[in-house]
Amino acid sequence: MLKVKKGFVYLLFAILVVTQLYPLFWLLMYSLKTNEEILSGSFFSFPKLPQWHNYAEAYTSGSYLKYLGNSVLVTGVTLLAVIILSAMTAYAISRFKWKYGPYVLLLFLLGMMIPMQATLLPLMIIFKNLDLLDTRWSIIIPYTAFALPIAVFILSGFMRAIPTDIEESAFMDGASVYRIFRSIILPISLPPVMTVCILTFINIWNEYIVAATFISSENLKTLPFGVYTFVSQYSVNYGNIGAFLIMGALPVIVIYFLLSERITKGMVAGAVKG
C-alpha cells in the first residue's frame, strides 16, 4: 500500500514537471523553426534544420539591448523601493506596540485582492493630471504599489518572531530605532527579503499591460515590446518572435533556478515564525 502511495505521488510530480517544462521546450522548438514549418501546423515536431539565425535577428532587429536596459532600470528601481518601503512598514507593524498595527496589516492584505488591471483608468487620470504619463515613474509607481502587500505580509510574519531581547539590548546601549532597524533587523531578515526580491522581479519583468497603457515613447519601452518589432502589416516573423521571447524569459529562468531555494526558505521562515 505504501509503495502504491509513493508511486502515485511520483506520478503526480512527474505530471507537474512535464506540464511546467513542456511550454518552455515547445517555445524553444518554435524559435528554431522557419515560418513555413510553423504555419504548416506541425506544432509538436522538431525543426528540420535549426534556424539559429533567428536569435541573431532577434538580438539586432528587436533592439534587445535597449529594451533590456529599460527593463533592468525599471525593475531595479522598483525592487529598491519595494524593499525599503515594505521592510520599514513590516517593522512598524510587527515590532511597535500600537493598537492600529493589525488594521494597517489588514489594509495591506486587502490590497492583494485588487488586480492591477482594474486600476488602469483611475491611474491614467491621476498620472495625466500629474504629468507622469509616458515616463518611467508611470510604471514604477504601480509596480511598487502592487508588490507591497505580499512583501509586507512576508516580512511582517518573519519580523514578528524575532526575539525582543536583541532590540532591548541595543536600545540600552544607546542605539536609535533607525540604527536597530538598519543594523539588526534587516540583516536578520535577509532570507524573506530575498524572497520578496525574487517574487517581485518575476512578477514585473515580463509585465506588459501597465507598460503598454502608460508608455508610448520608443526609448522608454521595456522588453515585452520588442516582440512587436517582428510584426508588420502584411507579415509576421514567428521564428524571431519565439527567439525574442526565449531571450526575454532567460533572465527570469536563470534567476529562479539559482535562487529557488531561497524562495522556499524565505516563505517557510515567514510562515513558521509568523
Side-chain angles (χ1 to χ4, degrees):
M1 188 66 181
L2 183 60
K3 291 183 178 180
V4 174
K5 289 182 178 180
K6 286 185 176 180
F8 179 76
V9 171
Y10 289 147
L11 177 63
L12 180 62
F13 277 112
I15 295 174
L16 290 175
V17 169
V18 171
T19 55
Q20 293 298 316
L21 293 181
Y22 175 74
L24 184 62
F25 176 77
W26 177 85
L27 183 60
L28 178 62
M29 295 297 100
Y30 185 93
S31 67
L32 295 174
K33 293 181 179 181
T34 63
N35 269 8
E36 289 74 17
E37 290 178 289
I38 295 172
L39 295 175
S40 66
S42 56
F43 299 106
F44 305 102
S45 64
F46 288 91
K48 297 178 180 179
L49 181 64
Q51 305 295 312
W52 295 107
H53 63 84
N54 286 342
Y55 285 87
E57 294 177 7
Y59 179 83
T60 55
S61 302
S63 301
Y64 179 76
L65 286 182
K66 180 179 70 175
Y67 293 130
L68 178 64
N70 290 335
S71 291
V72 170
L73 179 59
V74 170
T75 304
V77 174
T78 302
L79 285 177
L80 184 62
V82 169
I83 294 170
I84 295 175
L85 295 176
S86 63
M88 294 174 65
T89 304
Y91 181 60
I93 292 174
S94 60
R95 309 303 290 178
F96 292 176
K97 296 180 180 179
W98 53 308
K99 61 180 180 180
Y100 296 111
Y103 299 103
V104 174
L105 179 59
L106 178 61
L107 186 63
F108 275 95
L109 295 181
L110 290 175
M112 298 171 60
M113 303 171 61
I114 303 174
M116 188 184 300
Q117 293 77 12
T119 65
L120 293 180
L121 181 58
L123 284 177
M124 173 72 74
I125 298 173
I126 294 173
F127 290 155
K128 182 179 180 181
N129 293 332
L130 296 176
D131 292 328
L132 291 178
L133 281 180
D134 200 22
T135 65
R136 289 191 176 95
W137 291 112
S138 64
I139 57 177
I140 290 175
I141 293 174
Y143 289 164
T144 303
F146 281 91
L148 281 177
I150 185 63
V152 171
F153 174 72
I154 294 174
L155 293 178
S156 61
F158 182 87
M159 292 181 182
R160 193 177 293 114
I162 298 177
T164 57
D165 298 342
I166 301 175
E167 291 174 277
E168 293 174 356
S169 299
F171 184 76
M172 293 297 293
D173 291 336
S176 64
V177 174
Y178 300 102
R179 178 67 182 275
I180 294 173
F181 172 74
R182 183 178 66 253
S183 302
I184 298 176
I185 300 299
L186 272 184
I188 293 176
S189 305
L190 187 59
V193 167
M194 289 297 300
T195 299
V196 168
C197 289
I198 298 168
L199 293 178
T200 303
F201 175 84
I202 292 174
N203 287 332
I204 69 176
W205 181 257
N206 288 321
E207 199 284 326
Y208 175 77
I209 296 179
V210 173
T213 303
F214 300 135
I215 297 294
S216 57
S217 297
E218 188 68 24
N219 292 330
L220 299 179
K221 291 181 178 180
T222 52
L223 206 56
F225 287 91
V227 172
Y228 289 93
T229 306
F230 310 104
V231 180
S232 63
Q233 184 177 359
Y234 301 105
S235 64
V236 178
N237 197 322
Y238 296 102
N240 288 359
I241 290 177
F244 194 92
L245 291 175
I246 287 288
M247 293 167 63
L250 192 60
V252 178
I253 297 172
V254 172
I255 290 176
Y256 182 81
F257 277 105
L258 289 178
L259 303 178
S260 59
E261 186 176 352
R262 289 184 177 270
I263 297 179
T264 305
K265 288 183 178 179
M267 293 295 289
V268 171
V272 174
K273 295 187 178 183

